[in-house]
């Protein structure tokens, strides 16, 4: 679990995650409360630390989440996509 925690913290320190939180402050709240997403595109949840899955499956979910975060690295392109 410690390894998983360090990977999640690494993802939270990236530029994409910070931009995502700036654009959608409810991202963290929706994840914690278990509500349905209220966004205009498919959101990908952060992998859960305590989830009872094997390492390969957890890493797969983590990679998918990180790829999702990289979409938010360039804030101008994200805003342009939202306007279309």
């Amino acid at each position: 679990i410690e390894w998983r925690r360090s990977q999640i913290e690494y993802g939270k320190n990236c530029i994409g995650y910070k931009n995502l939180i700036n654009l959608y402050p409810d991202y963290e709240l929706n994840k914690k409360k278990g509500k349905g997403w209220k966004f205009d595109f498919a959101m990908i949840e952060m992998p859960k630390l305590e989830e009872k899955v094997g390492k390969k499956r957890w890493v797969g979910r983590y990679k998918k989440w990180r790829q999702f975060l990289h979409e938010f690295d360039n804030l101008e392109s994200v805003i342009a996509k939202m306007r279309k």
Side-chain angles (χ1 to χ4, degrees):
I1 290 185
E2 198 59 40
W3 178 80
R4 289 181 179 187
R5 183 174 288 117
S6 68
Q7 294 301 305
I8 294 292
E9 288 303 315
Y10 182 74
K12 283 184 171 183
N13 287 330
C14 75
I15 295 169
Y17 184 79
K18 293 172 184 172
N19 289 340
L20 174 65
I21 294 300
N22 286 336
L23 279 176
Y24 300 102
D26 292 340
Y27 178 76
E28 280 287 322
L29 297 175
N30 281 339
K31 184 183 79 64
K32 290 177 183 173
K33 293 181 181 175
K35 294 181 180 178
W37 298 111
K38 298 178 183 176
F39 306 113
D40 53 351
F41 57 91
M43 285 285 202
I44 296 179
E45 278 191 82
M46 181 186 327
K48 296 170 182 64
L49 291 175
E50 304 289 333
E51 195 169 17
K52 302 253 184 210
V53 295
K55 183 175 180 178
K56 284 186 179 182
R57 183 164 293 180
W58 193 90
V59 168
R61 292 177 183 173
Y62 172 76
K63 284 182 179 180
K64 190 173 181 183
W65 178 64
R66 286 299 309 269
Q67 288 173 348
F68 170 71
L69 292 180
H70 281 301
E71 293 177 17
F72 290 88
D73 284 346
N74 187 352
L75 199 54
E76 290 82 24
S77 67
V78 171
I79 293 172
K81 285 181 188 177
M82 290 170 52
R83 290 184 180 158
K84 286 183 181 180

